[in-house]
Every structure is written in structure tokens, then in C-alpha cells.
């Protein structure tokens, strides 16, 4: 286990949208002329943390995605993500390396991340593990070897920005986007963003590195590998 960087947050701070967390206003119709998805916030996750102590806000061991603009505490999907650490991190892709898109409702978010596991050859142990964890075996259009895939539902809470991540724990970031959906032609983006910005931080967590960071963040495998 790599060295854990112990950090504690117990503050009453409000969110600020700065140059790293960008408000996005781009509406696009989804299933009908009145069903509108509006992207309201974009951030870049640069580190992964775990909650240090159980509180009414969350359980010990919950995952926290630390962004340049905000922090994102997962209250569902933690165990499924942690099981990925028992697999070969180099064979895992999240959302095919595309941005994670989550629905935002006040300060809460939810959505699915798509996990794929691809190798040229699988051990019997790997196949058993993947099947047990709910992965589906699918045929690949690019090569003769199959790949495995599953969707993981994540639900969580948006907290304020945290500036205390040490440089050694920062990885090449993964983009994350938030949107609202309404059955109407216009959406009040200012109202939705403000609701997500009003929640103060009230959790204690440790920033960690490999192996979970190598799975969740783009480029983390290279950045956390020992230098030759």
C-alpha cells in the first residue's frame, strides 16, 4: 500500500466557481422538443481520497473525487469501484477515457460510469472474478479476444473546493460534467449552480494514490508507477 497522505477537512466554506471549474450553458434536446438537458458545470478530477471517519454525512472508506473546482463524495458505488482494485488496472477503462457525465439535482448527483476490462488473454481466476462482479462478456469488433463490461451507478454529494492536495498525489485529471434535465424549453442554470455551491464541507478524508487512482483517473498508471 502506498503511503497515505493524511489530510483533514472540517470547515464551513462556500463553493466558488473559478478558472478550473467552468460553468457551461449549452442546451440540447434529448427525447422530445420539451425534454432539455442543460450542462451547467465542468470540472477536472485530479486526486482520489477516502473518508477517514464515519459521520452522518458518510461512511468510513467512502470515495471522494477531488476536483480542481469542487470535491465529490460518493455515497453509492463505492464497493463496486473498490472491487476493481483486485483486477489488473492496466486493463481497465472508465467511460472509454471520455468525460464522466452526471445528473445534478441541488447538491446531489447521480449517474452511471461504464467500466470495460480488456486483455488478450484471461486467466481462469480473472474470468471467475469478472463474472462474480457482474461483468458481461462481449465480443470485440477489433480482435478475436472478448472484453468484459459493466455499468456502475454512482450517487453522491458535491462539496466545496479543497486546496490541500499534495503535488505527489496529483494525477493527470479526468473531466467530469454535470447537467440538469427538465421537461421544458428553458432551464434556470444560475439557480441549479447556486444550490450546488451552498453546501459547506463537513467530512474528513485521506488522499491516496495507487491502485484506485490508477483506475479512476486518466494517466494515473504512468504517474504513480515507480521511476526506473
Amino acid at each position: 500500500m502506498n503511503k497515505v497522505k493524511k489530510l483533514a477537512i472540517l470547515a464551513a466554506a462556500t463553493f466558488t466557481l473559478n478558472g478550473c471549474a467552468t460553468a457551461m450553458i449549452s442546451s440540447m434536446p434529448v427525447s422530445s422538443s420539451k425534454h432539455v438537458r442543460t450542462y451547467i458545470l465542468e470540472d477536472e478530477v485530479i486526486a482520489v481520497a477516502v473518508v477517514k471517519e464515519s459521520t452522518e454525512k458518510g461512511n468510513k472508506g467512502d470515495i471522494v473525487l477531488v476536483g480542481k473546482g469542487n470535491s465529490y463524495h460518493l455515497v453509492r458505488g463505492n464497493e463496486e469501484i473498490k472491487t476493481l482494485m483486485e483486477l489488473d488496472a492496466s486493463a481497465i477503462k472508465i467511460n472509454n477515457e471520455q468525460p464522466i457525465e452526471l445528473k445534478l439535482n441541488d447538491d446531489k448527483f447521480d449517474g452511471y460510469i461504464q467500466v470495460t476490462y480488456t486483455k488478450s488473454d484471461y486467466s481462469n481466476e480473472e474470468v471467475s472474478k469478472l463474472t462474480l462482479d457482474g461483468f458481461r462478456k462481449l465480443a470485440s469488433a477489433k480482435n478475436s479476444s472478448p472484453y468484459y463490461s459493466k455499468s456502475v451507478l454512482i450517487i453522491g454529494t458535491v462539496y466545496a473546493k479543497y486546496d490541500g492536495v499534495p503535488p505527489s498525489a496529483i494525477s493527470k485529471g479526468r473531466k467530469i460534467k454535470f447537467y440538469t434535465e427538465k421537461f421544458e424549453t428553458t432551464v434556470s442554470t444560475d439557480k441549479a449552480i447556486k444550490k450546488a455551491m451552498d453546501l459547506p464541507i463537513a467530512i474528513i478524508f485521506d488522499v491516496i494514490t495507487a491502485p484506485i487512482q490508477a483506475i479512476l483517473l486518466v494517466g494515473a498508471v504512468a504517474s504513480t508507477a515507480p521511476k526506473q
Side-chain angles (χ1 to χ4, degrees), residues 8-85:
I9 299 179
L10 189 55
T14 57
F15 288 102
T16 57
L17 283 176
N18 52 41
C20 297
T22 306
M24 300 179 63
I25 304 177
S26 58
S27 300
M28 51 183 260
V30 180
S31 60
S32 72
S33 60
K34 291 185 178 181
H35 192 187
V36 177
R37 173 178 292 191
T38 302
Y39 291 88
I40 60 174
L41 187 67
E42 181 177 299
D43 200 356
E44 187 175 353
V45 178
I46 57 172
V48 179
V50 293
V51 174
K52 187 176 181 180
E53 300 176 2
S54 294
T55 67
E56 62 179 10
K57 301 294 185 180
N59 298 318
K60 181 179 179 180
D62 283 354
I63 295 170
V64 179
L65 304 178
V66 183
K68 289 183 177 180
N70 303 308
S71 300
Y72 310 97
H73 173 208
L74 273 57
V75 297
R76 180 167 175 176
N78 290 286
E79 295 307 316
E80 290 183 273
I81 291 176
K82 288 177 183 178
T83 61
L84 300 178
M85 292 188 290

Side-chain angles (χ1 to χ4, degrees), residues 144-210:
S144 58
S145 297
Y147 69 97
Y148 292 80
S149 178
K150 73 178 294 186
S151 296
V152 177
L153 173 63
I154 59 173
I155 298 175
T157 304
V158 181
Y159 286 105
K161 178 184 177 181
Y162 177 59
D163 293 316
V165 180
S168 59
I170 295 177
S171 171
K172 178 182 178 182
R174 177 183 294 279
K175 289 186 178 180
I176 186 168
K177 297 180 179 181
F178 296 89
Y179 63 87
T180 60
E181 284 186 338
K182 299 288 184 181
F183 284 96
E184 56 189 30
T185 55
T186 59
V187 177
S188 176
T189 56
D190 290 341
K191 182 179 180 182
I193 293 174
K194 187 175 188 308
K195 284 184 178 180
M197 289 165 52
D198 285 339
L199 192 67
I201 294 178
I203 53 175
I204 299 172
F205 59 78
D206 291 332
V207 174
I208 59 175
T209 53

Side-chain angles (χ1 to χ4, degrees), residues 87-161:
L87 297 168
D88 182 356
S90 66
I92 296 173
K93 282 189 177 182
I94 303 293
N95 280 23
N96 198 30
E97 308 300 1
Q98 297 302 306
I100 296 172
E101 296 190 9
L102 302 170
K103 184 177 180 179
L104 185 65
N105 183 17
D106 293 341
D107 59 329
K108 309 298 182 185
F109 62 82
D110 67 87
Y112 287 89
I113 58 173
Q114 191 68 32
V115 184
T116 56
Y117 192 81
T118 307
K119 299 183 76 173
S120 59
D121 187 41
Y122 303 89
S123 67
N124 291 334
E125 182 180 356
E126 279 180 309
V127 172
S128 296
K129 172 66 176 171
L130 291 165
T131 302
L132 182 64
D133 290 346
F135 280 83
R136 294 178 300 145
K137 183 179 179 180
L138 300 171
S140 173
K142 295 182 178 180
N143 52 62
S144 58
S145 297
Y147 69 97
Y148 292 80
S149 178
K150 73 178 294 186
S151 296
V152 177
L153 173 63
I154 59 173
I155 298 175
T157 304
V158 181
Y159 286 105
K161 178 184 177 181

